[in-house]
Amino acid sequence: MSLPPARMRVVTETARRVPLPAIRRETVFDVRDVGVHYGPKPALAGVTLKIERNVVTAIIGPSGCGKSTFLRSLNRMNDAVPGFRIGGQVLYHGHDVYGGGVDRVEVRRRIGMVFQKPNPFPKSIFDNVAWAPRNLGLRAGLSERVEQALRGAALWDEVKDRLKQSALGLSGGQQQRLCIARAIAVEPDVLLLDEPASALDPIATAAIEELMHSLKRRYTIVIVTHNMQQAARVADRTAFFSLDDQRTGALVEYDATETIFTQPADPRTRDYVSGRFG
Ligand SMILES: Nc1ncnc2c1ncn2[C@@H]1O[C@H](COP(=O)(O)OP(=O)(O)O)[C@@H](O)[C@H]1O
Ligand SMILES: [Mg+2]
């Protein structure tokens, strides 16, 4: 008994070349036509961009162009600033961050923030990292949680024998990594970092940059930096902001970091990245 002939699949080089579907990345923030005022003066206008999951997005641009304003608008850190008003929409996983009924505490937990100057509490290393989990009532497994956060921030080996000592005794770079540990201790989705290395020496800066690469596997990272080399080293995507003719901050160009630095579409970006202004 003979087997039926195997059905032949003739795959010719040309006939079957169907393009693969584009890699569709998940959008974490869908920012639509966002403008910010502090009092009567607009600080930022017309910003529209999407921030993707598990990538590092850098915000670059000259001083005063609204980088911090933009970043702080993503997790409502500006709400307490007198005269702050925001227009447009900030959608976080499709939900309007400024919509009615949004729990601001939950927003800050999901979208953590690290500032330019390390700002540890005058407490022990352990209590710094345990502070936010305790506040949220996450008391079970607290020691493990603190350890995981310190490991995640690449600080554990340096501090594991001195967890009860004051955080203020750490070096600047260690303090900044402690602040990152503090942010990740509540398992956020996003980390916003506003010039996190600008107060640090080159070695501590390199440690923070290194950390960005490992953190992006778990978190979506948005980092403001005025250091272009830093953006080029750490970011997958880069947004260049500048001041328009009315000296209002605006998004000029947003693209893959390599494109921004090697083939920018806008002459203003070209001038900035080539060091001609700013
Ligand atoms: N808390 C604030 N109150 C009033 N104006 C502010 C405040 N923060 C920022 N601004 C103004 O908004 C503009 C953008 O500032 P900022 O977002 O800090 O820029 P960048 O971070 O790019 O240097 C500037 O004109 C600044 O003076
Ligand atoms: Mg700033």
Side-chain angles (χ1 to χ4, degrees):
M1 187 181 164
S2 65
L3 290 165
R7 179 112 48 90
M8 292 280 282
R9 278 178 54 135
V10 181
V11 181
T12 60
E13 269 300 299
T14 47
R16 291 293 173 109
R17 200 172 285 166
V18 179
L20 291 170
I23 296 169
R24 213 177 289 149
R25 287 201 178 265
E26 195 180 328
T27 299
V28 177
F29 287 105
D30 184 356
V31 177
R32 299 183 177 176
D33 195 25
V34 158
V36 172
H37 279 74
Y38 297 108
K41 193 190 170 304
L44 202 60
V47 178
T48 296
L49 57 76
K50 285 181 178 168
I51 292 172
E52 295 168 354
R53 188 177 192 85
N54 296 119
V55 307
V56 178
T57 300
I59 312 292
I60 64 168
S63 182
C65 71
K67 302 181 297 296
S68 297
T69 295
F70 173 75
L71 197 72
R72 296 164 63 92
S73 295
L74 298 178
N75 73 341
R76 300 190 59 161
M77 282 296 287
N78 279 326
D79 284 20
V81 176
F84 167 77
R85 276 184 296 135
I86 185 162
Q89 275 188 315
V90 179
L91 301 180
Y92 168 69
H93 294 288
H95 294 270
D96 187 349
V97 169
Y98 291 88
V102 168
D103 179 353
R104 272 151 63 177
V105 174
E106 181 65 5
V107 168
R108 304 269 172 79
R109 187 190 74 72
R110 300 266 292 259
I111 309 168
M113 191 145 198
V114 174
F115 302 91
Q116 182 170 356
K117 206 168 159 291
N119 58 348
F121 306 128
K123 294 171 180 289
S124 72
I125 293 165
F126 184 95
D127 285 344
N128 264 273
V129 183
W131 189 83
R134 277 180 178 139
N135 261 359
L136 291 167
L138 303 167
R139 278 155 215 275
L142 191 59
S143 304
E144 290 75 22
R145 181 181 285 274
V146 168
E147 178 177 339
Q148 281 314 311
L150 287 166
R151 285 187 187 280
L155 189 58
W156 174 251
D157 289 338
E158 290 160 63
V159 300
K160 62 177 190 278
D161 301 321
R162 53 197 277 209
L163 293 174
K164 292 208 167 91
Q165 291 175 26
S166 172
L168 302 181
L170 297 171
S171 72
Q174 289 172 325
Q175 289 189 7
Q176 196 59 305
R177 279 178 284 141
L178 182 71
C179 292
I180 292 172
R182 205 167 59 183
I184 63 181
V186 292
E187 297 167 57
D189 173 40
V190 180
L191 283 177
L192 308 177
L193 303 115
D194 195 348
E195 309 212 18
S198 64
L200 305 180
D201 63 49
I203 290 171
T205 297
I208 296 283
E209 290 181 5
E210 179 113 351
L211 188 52
M212 296 297 106
H213 291 291
S214 67
L215 288 173
K216 78 173 181 186
R217 281 186 229 125
R218 283 191 69 174
Y219 310 100
T220 297
I221 295 177
V222 189
I223 178 171
V224 167
T225 176
H226 64 237
N227 177 334
M228 285 187 277
Q229 287 75 27
Q230 180 166 78
R233 283 191 298 263
V234 305
D236 303 288
R237 295 183 65 82
T238 295
F240 170 58
F241 284 59
S242 193
L243 290 157
D244 66 14
D245 297 341
Q246 281 78 47
R247 302 200 55 78
T248 302
L251 173 64
V252 173
E253 190 169 351
Y254 178 44
D255 213 320
T257 297
E258 203 187 326
T259 306
I260 292 290
F261 285 100
T262 60
Q263 289 181 301
D266 193 292
R268 291 168 293 175
T269 315
R270 203 177 316 137
D271 285 351
Y272 186 74
V273 300
S274 65
R276 241 172 279 168
F277 89 101

